[in-house]
Amino acid sequence: MNPKIEKLIKQFAKLPRVGNRAAQRITLGLLQDKSGRAAALAAALNDAAESIAPCPVCGVLTDVGAGRCEFCRDAARANGQIAVVRDLADVWTLEKSAVFRGRYHILGGQLSGVAGVTPDDLNIASLPGRVADENITEIIFALPNTVEGKTTQHYVMSVVGARDGVTFSELASGVPLGGDLDYLDDGTLTLAFGGRKAL
């Protein structure tokens, strides 16, 4: 196999949920396409890599020149609620369902002894400051219903600590044990948000 093609396949195979066979199909599809799709993809990737960065407040990816993301800039979303999520895919899932109209805090993963993910690897330390600065009254944990998700949730609660006027809640019915948000349909997610319970 041509070394350049092999290198491209290996790069695609490193993407989440893309195995070696899918990487081969993607590579062949792009290289055999005569419409210029490969060049357009390369240009879009390069543009995003140069101009997109995490929001310094919540971690949502945004334009570098914008400073804070659209959620942090939107005064209407300063409703006292923060949804603590694992990653940007969870933000997209919640936004698509339109069940949450507050602000987000992306952790960038979850604690895992097996994977070697520690609190220092996650965006946790800035959350207590946000709670105070943004007059937060409810922290909603929208983390996977897994051992790692629950461990992360309890650790974040211990870091934030008990504060007057601040409640903790988690998604309720509809999120199965071991389930990820990006696999849930809008109806299930609506039930989970509507039935969240205090911790």
Side-chain angles (χ1 to χ4, degrees):
M1 181 183 295
N2 182 291
K4 291 182 180 179
I5 296 175
E6 190 172 3
K7 181 179 178 182
L8 189 56
I9 290 171
K10 286 181 180 177
Q11 291 303 313
F12 277 120
K14 290 178 183 178
L15 295 173
R17 301 183 183 138
V18 177
N20 197 53
R21 283 189 179 179
Q24 288 178 2
R25 287 194 296 272
I26 292 168
T27 301
L28 287 176
L30 287 170
L31 294 177
Q32 293 175 345
D33 186 284
K34 303 300 181 188
S35 67
R37 190 174 298 158
L41 175 62
L45 281 171
N46 188 55
D47 181 47
E50 291 179 353
S51 61
I52 300 294
C55 171
V57 177
C58 70
V60 169
L61 293 179
T62 189
D63 289 321
V64 173
R68 297 182 303 154
C69 72
E70 64 269 25
F71 304 117
C72 291
R73 291 193 311 264
D74 186 353
R77 296 190 81 116
N79 63 2
Q81 293 180 322
I82 283 185
V84 176
V85 297
R86 179 184 51 184
D87 56 31
L88 185 59
D90 294 336
V91 172
W92 290 342
T93 300
L94 293 174
E95 283 301 298
K96 180 183 172 193
S97 68
V99 297
F100 179 68
R101 300 305 300 164
R103 291 183 172 163
Y104 295 98
H105 191 85
I106 296 178
L107 298 178
Q110 53 192 354
L111 297 174
S112 173
V114 175
V117 180
T118 69
D120 292 337
D121 299 319
L122 303 177
N123 180 25
I124 297 174
S126 64
L127 187 56
R130 287 193 69 192
V131 171
D133 295 344
E134 299 178 31
N135 298 315
I136 299 304
T137 57
E138 182 182 16
I139 297 174
I140 304 166
F141 290 97
L143 298 171
N145 194 10
T146 61
V147 171
E148 291 85 1
K150 294 297 182 188
T151 301
T152 305
Q153 175 178 306
H154 289 297
Y155 180 80
V156 171
M157 288 174 66
S158 72
V159 170
V160 173
R163 295 167 183 259
D164 289 338
V166 178
T167 60
F168 296 99
S169 61
E170 66 181 352
L171 301 189
S173 62
V175 180
L177 186 63
D180 281 337
L181 289 183
D182 50 337
Y183 290 113
L184 300 180
D185 60 86
D186 292 348
T188 301
L189 202 53
T190 300
L191 282 175
F193 246 88
R196 65 183 183 274
K197 58 185 180 182
L199 297 174

